[in-house]
Amino acid sequence: MSIRIFRHYVQLPMLLLMLLELGVAVAALWLAADHVREHNLHRLFPDWTLYVLFAGLMLVSSAAMGLYNARLRERLRGLAVRLVLAALATLLLMAIFTLILPGFEITLDRFALALGIAVAGDVALRAAFGRIVHEDYFKRRVLVYGAGRQAASIAGLKRRSDRIGFTIVGYVPSHEDTLVIPSAQRLDMTGDLATWCNEIDVDEIVVAMDDRRRAFPLHELLQCRLSGIQVSELLSFLERETGKVRLDLLNPSWMIFSDGFRRSLPREMTGRVLDIAASLALLAVAWPVMLLVAIAIKLDDGLSAPVLYRQTRVGLRGRPFEVLKFRSMTVCAEADGVARWARPGDQRVTRIGAVIRKLRLDELPQLFNVLKGDMRFVGPRPERPHFVAQLVQRIPYYAERHSVKPGITGWAQLCYSYGASEQDAAEKLQYDLYYIKNRSLVFDLAILIQTVEVVLFGKGAR
């Protein structure tokens, strides 16, 4: 089951886990305070502000470690390591807040104790939660109306994360379907559809007929809707459950009439202000690292070697711009003038380049592109004109990703590994279209927080 929050779908189990861990954090701080007999927790602030701050920072740190990513594949030991890292990040942030807000009477040993209790509690919670989250307690019971090629797109969802929100009751063939679903998964409807669905406890019907122009069960589906059963079209259902827009099912009318792809002047202005403020703040913190990277490139390739690399990319509305990056490949990487995708173990990558690409440090100069206005922090990654010209011809709706400014990071970068082929570009486009349709400031902040995991664990870097 999914809940839409600020235009982004959140799986109910993940939302429930967040709330439970917030409770664990609050309880841990209360136990730590009681244990060391420190009841006078403040001078200028009420008690609840301290609990909110502590639990909120623990939540943000956990999200930054990927602990609320439904696609995370970690055993309990791996989860424990991430929880410890989240606790250390929380301790650091709390130490910073004690300097900024001196009105709190806070001791680090007290917070360390609270974090230890919180980590132990979260490990126990996730061990128990992991056993029930993939059961049917939180899942919608879904009946698929169709058993042909369209319905097979649901049956083809193999990843557990894509099926975490629903369980399939069965598939009801329509008269125009070319049957693809195995007979063991097909159901024979008895009586009228609404009564039958109530008898077998169906929460949602997904219309996945191969041909809706003939024998569309309009009256039956209307009765189901009026009786409280949700009725969804296939593409919207898959968007909600998988976090992407399926290209093989997409048609222009869905994009025109769907609830999304909104733009407003206040949102664009607010986003621009936040981009500028965040870029300046990050530059103020990252400039020593950027200086060290520049020195390392010079020492590795010689004093005459360029530090920065300028490359033409395609931006908003297809306009070209020059993206800035720390040079991570040899100067003669494309001496013949032919654009090439980066490959695993690419011989053109320098020794320093391999390190900064792994840590994403080569992207830091793009902060100047954000300040200039060519890019945003969050958006589809900009591609080179040579590849764009090919992909627009071969992949439907590829040009639509240029309806927003490109970004340093994005939803596709979180959900899919590094792309280095036409097939990868098509897969990432599905996530980009989901972002463009559902983008909001809160969604952008969530992507930025989760990008920390990508940087720390080197996901998808080449």
Side-chain angles (χ1 to χ4, degrees):
M1 185 181 297
S2 300
I3 298 176
R4 200 174 192 188
I5 302 176
F6 295 106
R7 307 195 58 78
H8 176 52
Y9 293 105
V10 179
Q11 297 287 355
L12 181 58
M14 289 295 105
L15 181 60
L16 181 59
L17 181 61
M18 290 181 192
L19 294 176
L20 290 174
E21 291 194 338
L22 280 174
V24 169
V26 170
L29 186 56
W30 181 83
L31 289 172
D34 183 69
H35 178 74
V36 296
R37 298 294 188 269
E38 291 187 27
H39 296 289
N40 184 23
L41 302 178
H42 63 89
R43 284 188 234 151
L44 301 178
F45 304 98
D47 290 350
W48 64 267
T49 57
L50 180 61
Y51 287 95
V52 169
L53 179 63
F54 178 76
L57 291 178
M58 189 70 186
L59 180 71
V60 170
S61 299
S62 297
M65 296 300 135
L67 288 166
Y68 301 121
N69 184 354
R71 297 174 177 84
L72 184 64
R73 296 288 183 271
E74 291 279 10
R75 296 186 179 276
L76 194 59
R77 181 182 298 178
L79 290 175
V81 170
R82 289 177 182 247
L83 282 168
V84 170
L85 291 175
L88 292 175
T90 303
L91 186 61
L92 175 62
L93 291 172
M94 287 302 302
I96 294 173
F97 270 97
T98 59
L99 296 176
I100 299 175
L101 303 173
F104 286 120
E105 289 186 351
I106 301 173
T107 58
L108 289 182
D109 60 336
R110 173 169 159 259
F111 277 117
L113 176 61
L115 287 169
I117 297 172
V119 169
D122 285 345
V123 170
L125 172 64
R126 285 176 175 266
F129 197 80
R131 294 179 180 274
I132 63 173
V133 70
H134 296 297
E135 301 296 332
D136 294 339
Y137 305 114
F138 303 106
K139 296 184 178 182
R140 299 177 66 82
R141 289 174 57 82
V142 172
L143 177 72
V144 182
Y145 196 91
R149 292 184 295 272
Q150 296 269 316
S153 60
I154 296 180
L157 296 178
K158 303 301 183 183
R159 293 191 305 185
R160 180 180 289 184
S161 60
D162 289 336
R163 303 176 70 96
I164 195 174
F166 67 94
T167 181
I168 297 296
V169 177
Y171 299 80
V172 176
S174 69
H175 297 295
E176 303 300 324
D177 285 339
T178 301
L179 296 179
V180 175
I181 301 298
S183 58
Q185 300 178 43
R186 301 197 298 262
L187 299 178
D188 294 324
M189 184 175 59
T190 58
D192 68 276
L193 183 60
T195 302
W196 183 62
C197 286
N198 284 318
E199 289 176 353
I200 61 175
D201 196 22
V202 170
D203 298 310
E204 182 176 5
I205 299 173
V206 178
V207 180
M209 303 167 61
D210 286 343
D211 189 352
R212 296 188 188 182
R213 295 170 298 180
R214 301 179 182 179
F216 185 78
L218 178 62
H219 178 72
E220 291 85 350
L221 291 175
L222 178 59
Q223 290 302 312
C224 290
R225 190 70 185 89
L226 294 175
S227 67
I229 300 173
Q230 183 176 344
V231 179
S232 305
E233 60 176 344
L234 177 61
L235 185 55
S236 296
F237 173 81
L238 291 173
E239 176 204 3
R240 184 186 76 203
E241 299 300 330
T242 64
K244 63 183 179 181
V245 176
R246 289 281 295 266
L247 290 178
D248 55 335
L249 303 172
L250 184 57
N251 58 75
S253 63
W254 183 86
M255 297 180 71
I256 292 171
F257 294 109
S258 65
D259 179 24
F261 302 104
R262 296 179 179 178
R263 296 186 66 183
S264 66
L265 182 59
R267 187 210 180 280
E268 297 300 322
M269 292 178 62
T270 305
R272 180 62 182 147
V273 170
L274 288 177
D275 281 341
I276 293 174
S279 297
L280 293 175
L282 190 54
L283 282 171
V285 174
W287 73 264
V289 177
M290 297 174 70
L291 180 61
L292 289 175
V293 170
I295 294 173
I297 292 173
K298 287 289 187 181
L299 292 176
D300 189 43
D301 278 2
L303 296 179
S304 61
V307 170
L308 295 177
Y309 179 60
R310 292 174 172 83
Q311 191 178 71
T312 302
R313 299 289 178 99
V314 177
L316 180 65
R317 301 187 183 92
R319 292 194 294 263
F321 72 98
E322 279 196 338
V323 71
L324 292 174
K325 301 180 73 174
F326 280 124
R327 186 175 56 81
S328 59
M329 291 189 176
T330 58
V331 177
C332 56
E334 293 180 352
D336 55 2
V338 179
R340 297 178 178 87
W341 298 99
R343 303 287 181 180
D346 200 316
Q347 297 299 314
R348 298 174 296 168
V349 178
T350 64
R351 290 178 299 176
I352 295 299
V355 175
I356 64 175
R357 287 169 75 94
K358 191 71 173 177
L359 299 176
R360 296 296 203 282
L361 297 179
D362 61 322
E363 311 282 357
L364 285 176
Q366 291 175 35
L367 293 172
F368 294 105
N369 288 115
V370 175
L371 288 173
K372 186 179 177 182
D374 291 328
M375 296 178 65
R376 296 195 63 228
F377 259 100
V378 179
R381 286 293 295 158
E383 195 48 82
R384 303 174 67 178
H386 173 79
F387 295 132
V388 170
Q390 296 178 351
L391 297 173
V392 166
Q393 296 297 321
R394 298 172 184 174
I395 302 176
Y397 306 103
Y398 190 83
E400 274 62 40
R401 72 195 300 273
H402 301 131
S403 61
V404 298
K405 286 183 180 181
I408 296 178
T409 185
W411 183 239
Q413 280 62 50
L414 296 182
C415 299
Y416 195 76
S417 60
Y418 187 94
S421 68
E422 183 179 318
Q423 182 180 356
D424 290 335
E427 185 67 26
K428 295 184 76 170
L429 175 61
Q430 298 180 112
Y431 292 105
D432 286 334
L433 290 175
Y434 176 90
Y435 168 76
I436 295 170
K437 177 178 181 291
N438 300 290
R439 68 193 186 107
S440 67
L441 291 176
V442 174
F443 193 13
D444 287 352
L445 289 174
I447 291 172
L448 286 174
I449 291 171
Q450 293 177 73
T451 299
V452 176
E453 180 203 5
V454 177
V455 176
L456 286 180
F457 296 95
K459 295 172 61 177
R462 286 188 185 176

